[in-house]
Amino acid sequence: MGRSKKSTSGKLRALAVEFKEDSLEYENNTLSCLCCGVRLGMDSDSEVRRFITVQHLGTPKHKNAIELYNSQQKLNFEKDTFSLDICQAFVAADIPIYKLNHPVLRECWEKYCGRKLPDQSTIRKNYLNETFEATMECIRQEIGDSNIWVSIDETTDSMGRYIANVIIGKLNGTESGRPLLLNVVQLQKANFQTIAALFNDSMSLLWPRSVDHSKVLLFISDAAPYMVKAGKTLKTFYHRMSHITCLAHGLHRIAEAVRTKYKVVDKFIGSMKKIFLKAPARVTAFKEQFPDLSLPPKPVLTRWGTWLTTVSYYADNLNKIAQFVLSLNDDDSSAVREVQTLLEKKRAKLTMDITEIQQYYAGIADTITQLETKGQPLVRSLELWQDAIDMLCNSPHQVIAEKALSVLNKNRDLPKIVKLSRNDPSLLDQLPFTDMSPTELASFRFAPVVSVDVERSFSTLKSVLRDNRKSFLIENLKEHLIIGCYTNV
């Protein structure tokens, strides 16, 4: 006849008492060693014998753990602040958690810090989620009862997934509230329904008991049609919310129209980019000929204003670049031949087009950079925007001026925000500002007008998902990004 549960339970409890070890604990019908995190037996284990415990207590692992345990004044090994701090430090510093198991790191840490590093699996299972929840609670406390702005954008990560990030911040009339990454999700598709659902889910994260719809006063996104439609839909539920599209993104769209208009310059820049691509011999020759001149910039079409910045470089150094390219062997590559042909046959056209771009449009890139500045007052951002639009409306090309007006007119709530920045009394006759108090109106003083904070969170995403770290599940990725962004903003 098998032993009863009562008799086995008595044996386990007796073992814990007999060895008088602080590390042995009998709880919930289980005998465990707290120092080593080892389960020595349960009431249901018929083979549990005194010899199992004796064997474990004699192992070097247990003896080292006991030594550290005694030197640390018997800290709680189950849930201690040390492990939480280690988890937060590694995630915040973007150090992979598996590095905790590196033998040299562990040896050095124990030698100079006098305590044992937790295993990487322990951190992942027991502390990462707890650190994430603590970070979310810090975000809720930081927002408090303040009104907020929300910004959403989506990107495609290095694994081909559609990732959407949600940034929020306080609207405060006395200081600029820092941007906080609130949510990271994988979208099956990007449309107004998924964006609207993401917006609502994110507000539920911020206010888990009950969403305070009246606290959301501003939504910033890009000008994609599905974002505009999502903003219009959300206004039904967030009746005090204004939706504006990113002003820097709008200027970038105008800059793209400029690039399309000047085809000769665009072809020249594209071919110049190819000349130095994977060509170390040409790079060396260029540096030897012009040691004080940097290599030509390589514009990235998705990075705001970089094409215009590149035009400014050639405006300053076109003669030197021409001298260098014309000295190259035209048999080297088709890119060299293309640039040499442009310089020989269309030099005058190229020079005048670059001059015209520099005269009328170079300021767009500078304005984009200034709009990206953190903590800028609303009135200053709108002045920069208006100056850029005025300059573009005086463009010698009607198509550019029409593009500028189109971008301006499609930003439906922007005129209301402009009135707000100017303290225009007629604003109080327009929704959603009719029932706002003076304090709430003043809280827009540092309201953002660009979605650059979401773009910065995408840079963090790219850093985390480097080539040797692509095994993240979306939930783990979310926890890493939110903890990392909160501690590094």
Side-chain angles (χ1 to χ4, degrees):
M1 186 173 179
R3 290 194 181 101
S4 68
K5 182 175 180 180
K6 182 176 180 181
S7 65
T8 307
S9 173
K11 280 180 174 284
L12 289 173
R13 187 181 289 107
L15 283 173
V17 174
E18 176 186 347
F19 288 98
K20 297 179 180 179
E21 286 268 359
D22 291 334
S23 63
L24 293 181
E25 180 183 69
Y26 177 78
E27 187 177 4
N28 296 328
N29 301 326
T30 304
L31 182 65
S32 303
C33 176
L34 297 181
C35 289
C36 304
V38 173
R39 190 179 68 183
L40 299 174
M42 297 183 65
D43 287 344
S44 59
D45 296 335
S46 60
E47 295 91 9
V48 173
R49 297 287 183 272
R50 142 197 245 341
F51 140 87
I52 297 175
T53 306
V54 172
Q55 259 202 337
H56 173 73
L57 296 179
T59 60
K61 175 184 177 181
H62 178 78
K63 291 178 180 179
N64 290 337
I66 283 293
E67 185 178 344
L68 290 173
Y69 181 86
N70 292 330
S71 66
Q72 296 160 23
Q73 300 178 348
K74 301 179 181 180
L75 294 173
N76 183 352
F77 276 76
E78 289 185 300
K79 289 285 181 182
D80 62 278
T81 56
F82 171 68
S83 294
L84 284 171
D85 291 343
I86 284 291
C87 179
Q88 184 176 46
F90 269 59
V91 176
D94 194 21
I95 302 173
I97 293 177
Y98 70 81
K99 295 289 187 181
L100 282 168
N101 281 15
H102 196 289
V104 177
L105 174 63
R106 299 183 73 85
E107 181 182 349
C108 178
W109 192 284
E110 292 176 17
K111 178 179 179 181
Y112 291 101
C113 300
R115 66 184 306 163
K116 193 177 182 68
L117 277 173
D119 189 85
Q120 62 101 0
S121 62
T122 302
I123 292 294
R124 293 185 192 279
K125 294 175 183 177
N126 300 330
Y127 295 98
L128 181 58
N129 184 256
E130 187 171 337
T131 304
F132 167 71
E133 292 297 337
T135 302
M136 291 299 296
E137 190 57 36
C138 288
I139 291 173
R140 295 185 187 107
Q141 291 178 6
E142 189 165 329
I143 294 298
D145 295 328
S146 302
N147 296 317
I148 66 168
W149 57 265
V150 182
S151 185
I152 298 179
D153 202 356
E154 59 88 19
T155 189
T156 304
D157 69 9
S158 57
M159 300 175 68
R161 299 175 296 192
Y162 296 110
I163 302 295
N165 287 3
V166 181
I167 301 281
I168 62 170
K170 286 197 298 186
L171 285 173
N172 193 324
T174 57
E175 61 181 359
S176 173
R178 69 168 179 157
L180 302 165
L181 179 60
L182 178 67
N183 202 6
V184 178
V185 299
Q186 179 182 356
L187 301 176
Q188 295 305 315
K189 58 177 68 175
N191 56 39
F192 83 96
Q193 293 173 320
T194 57
I195 295 300
L198 171 60
F199 192 106
N200 285 322
D201 292 344
S202 300
M203 295 305 101
S204 296
L205 286 177
L206 180 60
W207 294 297
R209 294 184 179 179
S210 177
V211 175
D212 194 343
H213 296 80
S214 64
K215 294 291 186 183
V216 184
L217 301 187
L218 184 63
F219 176 37
I220 309 106
S221 71
D222 60 25
Y226 66 87
M227 283 289 188
V228 175
K229 189 173 181 180
K232 184 177 180 180
T233 303
L234 287 165
K235 285 183 181 183
T236 306
F237 306 98
Y238 301 87
H239 59 281
R240 306 177 79 206
M241 184 182 79
S242 299
H243 176 213
I244 63 172
T245 57
C246 174
L247 301 190
H249 187 263
L251 289 178
H252 174 68
R253 290 165 59 204
I254 299 170
E256 282 298 287
V258 173
R259 182 177 70 86
T260 304
K261 181 64 179 176
Y262 293 91
K263 297 186 182 300
V264 173
V265 177
D266 189 40
K267 184 177 181 181
F268 174 77
I269 290 175
S271 298
M272 282 299 303
K273 186 177 179 179
K274 295 175 184 177
I275 283 179
F276 292 102
L277 185 65
K278 297 180 181 179
R282 291 188 204 126
V283 171
T284 301
F286 183 86
K287 290 181 177 180
E288 289 176 352
Q289 188 169 350
F290 304 107
D292 298 327
L293 183 62
S294 62
L295 287 170
K298 298 177 181 179
V300 179
L301 298 185
T302 55
R303 292 183 183 174
W304 300 339
T306 54
W307 189 85
L308 290 175
T309 302
T310 304
V311 173
S312 296
Y313 171 90
Y314 289 115
D316 294 334
N317 304 292
L318 183 61
N319 292 335
K320 292 180 180 178
I321 295 298
Q323 179 184 341
F324 172 75
V325 174
L326 292 173
S327 67
L328 295 175
N329 187 342
D330 60 3
D331 294 331
D332 282 352
S333 74
S334 59
V336 172
R337 289 193 294 274
E338 286 177 359
V339 175
Q340 288 179 343
T341 300
L342 286 173
L343 290 172
E344 290 170 352
K345 297 183 178 180
K346 297 185 178 181
R347 178 74 171 268
K349 171 69 172 171
L350 178 64
T351 301
M352 295 313 298
D353 281 357
I354 291 177
T355 302
E356 195 170 273
I357 295 171
Q358 188 71 359
Q359 183 178 359
Y360 290 99
Y361 311 115
I364 296 177
D366 293 335
T367 302
I368 290 174
T369 301
Q370 292 180 68
L371 286 172
E372 292 173 343
T373 304
K374 287 185 177 182
Q376 192 153 241
L378 175 64
V379 63
R380 174 58 180 161
S381 297
L382 293 176
E383 285 175 355
L384 290 168
W385 164 258
Q386 192 60 57
D387 290 344
I389 292 297
D390 291 343
M391 177 183 66
L392 290 165
C393 287
N394 293 322
S395 166
H397 298 286
Q398 187 65 24
V399 65
I400 306 293
E402 289 175 354
K403 181 66 175 180
L405 290 174
S406 173
V407 169
L408 179 62
N409 293 333
K410 286 181 179 179
N411 209 339
R412 297 295 177 84
D413 283 345
L414 183 60
K416 298 177 184 179
I417 300 298
V418 172
K419 285 185 177 182
L420 178 61
S421 70
R422 296 173 179 173
N423 297 319
D424 189 333
S426 66
L427 178 74
L428 300 180
D429 297 326
Q430 297 178 286
L431 293 173
F433 301 98
T434 53
D435 64 341
M436 288 189 187
S437 68
T439 299
E440 288 175 323
L441 293 172
S443 69
F444 281 83
R445 181 184 173 192
F446 291 99
V449 291
V450 293
S451 59
V452 66
D453 293 310
V454 190
E455 301 296 335
R456 292 188 177 112
S457 72
F458 290 149
S459 296
T460 304
L461 169 67
K462 185 177 179 180
S463 174
V464 171
L465 280 180
R466 41 193 183 268
D467 290 340
N468 62 342
R469 295 182 73 190
K470 292 190 176 180
S471 59
F472 275 103
L473 297 177
I474 189 63
E475 283 303 315
N476 292 337
L477 180 62
K478 171 182 176 178
E479 292 175 346
H480 275 258
L481 284 178
I482 290 179
I483 295 170
C485 287
Y486 181 79
T487 51
N488 286 294
V489 171

Coordinates of all heavy atoms in Angstrom, one line a residue, residues 270-305:
G270 N 22.0 60.9 -58.7 CA 21.9 59.4 -58.7 C 23.1 58.8 -59.2 O 23.6 57.8 -58.7
S271 N 23.7 59.3 -60.3 CA 24.9 58.7 -60.9 C 26.1 59.0 -60.1 O 27.0 58.1 -60.0 CB 25.1 59.3 -62.3 OG 24.0 59.0 -63.2
M272 N 26.2 60.2 -59.4 CA 27.3 60.4 -58.6 C 27.3 59.5 -57.4 O 28.4 59.1 -56.9 CB 27.2 61.9 -58.0 CG 27.7 62.9 -59.0 SD 29.4 62.7 -59.5 CE 30.3 62.8 -58.0
K273 N 26.1 59.1 -56.9 CA 26.0 58.2 -55.8 C 26.6 56.8 -56.2 O 27.3 56.2 -55.4 CB 24.6 58.1 -55.4 CG 24.3 57.2 -54.1 CD 22.8 57.2 -53.8 CE 22.6 56.3 -52.5 NZ 21.1 56.3 -52.2
K274 N 26.4 56.4 -57.4 CA 26.9 55.1 -57.9 C 28.4 55.2 -58.1 O 29.1 54.1 -58.0 CB 26.2 54.8 -59.2 CG 24.7 54.5 -59.1 CD 24.1 54.3 -60.5 CE 22.6 54.1 -60.4 NZ 22.0 54.0 -61.8
I275 N 28.9 56.3 -58.5 CA 30.4 56.4 -58.7 C 31.2 56.0 -57.6 O 32.3 55.3 -57.7 CB 30.8 57.9 -59.2 CG1 30.3 58.1 -60.6 CG2 32.3 58.1 -59.0 CD1 30.6 59.5 -61.1
F276 N 30.8 56.4 -56.3 CA 31.6 56.0 -55.2 C 31.1 54.8 -54.4 O 31.7 54.4 -53.4 CB 31.6 57.2 -54.2 CG 32.3 58.4 -54.7 CD1 31.6 59.5 -55.2 CD2 33.7 58.5 -54.7 CE1 32.2 60.6 -55.7 CE2 34.3 59.6 -55.2 CZ 33.6 60.7 -55.7
L277 N 30.0 54.1 -55.0 CA 29.5 52.9 -54.3 C 30.4 51.7 -54.6 O 30.6 51.4 -55.8 CB 28.1 52.7 -54.8 CG 27.3 51.5 -54.2 CD1 27.1 51.8 -52.7 CD2 26.0 51.3 -54.9
K278 N 30.9 51.1 -53.6 CA 31.8 50.0 -53.7 C 33.0 50.2 -54.7 O 33.3 49.4 -55.5 CB 31.0 48.7 -54.2 CG 29.9 48.3 -53.2 CD 29.2 47.1 -53.8 CE 28.1 46.7 -52.8 NZ 27.4 45.5 -53.3
A279 N 33.5 51.4 -54.5 CA 34.7 51.8 -55.4 C 35.8 52.5 -54.5 O 36.0 53.7 -54.5 CB 34.2 52.8 -56.5
P280 N 36.5 51.7 -53.7 CA 37.5 52.3 -52.8 C 38.6 53.0 -53.5 O 39.2 54.0 -53.0 CB 38.0 51.0 -52.1 CG 37.6 49.9 -52.9 CD 36.3 50.2 -53.6
A281 N 38.9 52.6 -54.7 CA 40.0 53.2 -55.5 C 39.6 54.7 -55.8 O 40.4 55.6 -55.7 CB 40.3 52.5 -56.8
R282 N 38.3 54.9 -56.2 CA 37.9 56.2 -56.5 C 37.8 57.1 -55.3 O 38.0 58.3 -55.3 CB 36.5 56.2 -57.2 CG 36.6 55.6 -58.6 CD 35.2 55.7 -59.3 NE 35.1 54.7 -60.4 CZ 34.2 53.8 -60.5 NH1 33.2 53.8 -59.7 NH2 34.2 52.9 -61.5
V283 N 37.3 56.5 -54.2 CA 37.3 57.2 -52.9 C 38.6 57.7 -52.5 O 38.8 58.8 -52.1 CB 36.7 56.3 -51.8 CG1 36.8 57.0 -50.4 CG2 35.2 56.0 -52.1
T284 N 39.6 56.8 -52.6 CA 41.0 57.2 -52.3 C 41.5 58.3 -53.2 O 42.2 59.2 -52.7 CB 41.9 55.9 -52.4 OG1 41.4 54.9 -51.5 CG2 43.3 56.3 -52.0
A285 N 41.2 58.2 -54.5 CA 41.7 59.2 -55.4 C 41.0 60.5 -55.1 O 41.7 61.6 -55.2 CB 41.4 58.7 -56.9
F286 N 39.8 60.5 -54.8 CA 39.1 61.8 -54.4 C 39.7 62.4 -53.2 O 39.9 63.6 -53.2 CB 37.6 61.5 -54.2 CG 36.7 62.7 -53.9 CD1 36.2 63.4 -54.9 CD2 36.5 63.1 -52.6 CE1 35.5 64.6 -54.7 CE2 35.7 64.2 -52.3 CZ 35.2 65.0 -53.4
K287 N 40.0 61.6 -52.2 CA 40.5 62.2 -51.0 C 42.0 62.7 -51.2 O 42.4 63.7 -50.5 CB 40.6 61.1 -49.9 CG 39.2 60.8 -49.3 CD 39.2 59.7 -48.2 CE 37.8 59.5 -47.7 NZ 37.9 58.4 -46.6
E288 N 42.7 62.1 -52.1 CA 44.0 62.6 -52.4 C 44.0 63.9 -53.1 O 44.8 64.8 -52.9 CB 44.8 61.5 -53.2 CG 45.2 60.3 -52.4 CD 45.8 59.2 -53.2 OE1 45.8 59.4 -54.5 OE2 46.3 58.2 -52.7
Q289 N 43.0 64.0 -54.0 CA 42.9 65.2 -54.8 C 42.3 66.4 -54.0 O 42.7 67.5 -54.2 CB 42.0 64.9 -56.1 CG 42.0 66.1 -57.1 CD 41.4 65.7 -58.4 OE1 41.1 64.5 -58.6 NE2 41.2 66.7 -59.3
F290 N 41.3 66.1 -53.2 CA 40.7 67.1 -52.4 C 40.6 66.7 -50.9 O 39.6 66.2 -50.4 CB 39.3 67.4 -52.9 CG 39.2 67.8 -54.3 CD1 38.7 66.9 -55.3 CD2 39.6 69.1 -54.7 CE1 38.6 67.3 -56.6 CE2 39.5 69.4 -56.1 CZ 39.0 68.5 -57.0
P291 N 41.8 66.8 -50.2 CA 41.8 66.2 -48.8 C 40.9 67.0 -47.8 O 40.5 66.4 -46.8 CB 43.3 66.4 -48.5 CG 43.8 67.5 -49.4 CD 43.0 67.3 -50.7
D292 N 40.6 68.2 -48.1 CA 39.7 69.0 -47.2 C 38.2 68.9 -47.5 O 37.4 69.6 -46.9 CB 40.2 70.4 -47.2 CG 41.6 70.6 -46.7 OD1 42.0 69.8 -45.8 OD2 42.3 71.5 -47.2
L293 N 37.9 68.1 -48.6 CA 36.5 68.1 -49.0 C 35.9 66.7 -48.7 O 36.5 65.7 -49.0 CB 36.4 68.3 -50.5 CG 35.0 68.4 -51.2 CD1 34.2 69.5 -50.6 CD2 35.1 68.5 -52.7
S294 N 34.7 66.7 -48.1 CA 34.1 65.4 -47.8 C 33.5 64.8 -49.0 O 33.3 65.5 -50.0 CB 33.0 65.6 -46.7 OG 32.0 66.5 -47.3
L295 N 33.3 63.5 -49.0 CA 32.7 62.8 -50.1 C 31.2 63.3 -50.3 O 30.6 63.8 -49.4 CB 32.6 61.3 -49.9 CG 34.0 60.6 -50.0 CD1 33.8 59.2 -49.4 CD2 34.5 60.5 -51.4
P296 N 30.7 63.3 -51.5 CA 29.3 63.7 -51.8 C 28.4 62.9 -50.9 O 28.5 61.7 -50.7 CB 29.1 63.4 -53.3 CG 30.5 63.4 -53.8 CD 31.4 62.8 -52.8
P297 N 27.4 63.6 -50.4 CA 26.3 62.9 -49.5 C 25.6 61.9 -50.4 O 25.5 62.0 -51.6 CB 25.4 64.0 -49.1 CG 26.2 65.3 -49.3 CD 27.1 65.1 -50.4
K298 N 25.0 60.9 -49.7 CA 24.2 59.9 -50.4 C 22.8 60.0 -49.9 O 22.4 59.5 -48.8 CB 24.8 58.5 -50.1 CG 26.2 58.2 -50.5 CD 26.7 56.9 -50.1 CE 28.1 56.6 -50.6 NZ 28.6 55.3 -50.2
P299 N 22.0 60.7 -50.7 CA 20.6 61.0 -50.2 C 19.8 59.7 -50.1 O 19.9 58.8 -50.9 CB 20.0 61.9 -51.3 CG 20.8 61.6 -52.5 CD 22.2 61.3 -52.0
V300 N 18.9 59.6 -49.1 CA 18.0 58.5 -48.9 C 16.6 59.1 -49.0 O 16.2 60.0 -48.3 CB 18.2 57.8 -47.5 CG1 17.2 56.7 -47.4 CG2 19.6 57.3 -47.4
L301 N 15.8 58.6 -50.0 CA 14.6 59.3 -50.3 C 13.6 59.2 -49.2 O 12.7 60.1 -49.1 CB 14.0 58.6 -51.6 CG 14.8 58.7 -52.9 CD1 14.0 58.1 -54.0 CD2 15.2 60.2 -53.2
T302 N 13.7 58.2 -48.3 CA 12.8 58.2 -47.2 C 13.2 59.0 -46.0 O 12.5 59.1 -45.0 CB 12.6 56.7 -46.7 OG1 13.9 56.2 -46.4 CG2 12.0 55.8 -47.8
R303 N 14.4 59.6 -46.1 CA 14.8 60.5 -45.0 C 14.6 62.0 -45.4 O 15.1 62.4 -46.5 CB 16.3 60.3 -44.7 CG 16.6 58.9 -44.1 CD 18.0 58.7 -43.7 NE 18.3 57.4 -43.2 CZ 19.5 56.9 -42.9 NH1 20.6 57.7 -43.1 NH2 19.6 55.7 -42.4
W304 N 13.8 62.6 -44.6 CA 13.3 64.0 -45.0 C 14.4 64.9 -45.3 O 15.3 65.2 -44.6 CB 12.5 64.5 -43.8 CG 11.3 63.6 -43.4 CD1 10.7 62.7 -44.2 CD2 10.7 63.6 -42.2 NE1 9.7 62.1 -43.6 CE2 9.6 62.6 -42.3 CE3 10.8 64.3 -41.0 CZ2 8.8 62.3 -41.3 CZ3 9.9 64.0 -40.0 CH2 8.9 63.0 -40.1
G305 N 14.3 65.5 -46.5 CA 15.2 66.6 -46.9 C 16.6 66.3 -47.3 O 17.4 67.2 -47.7

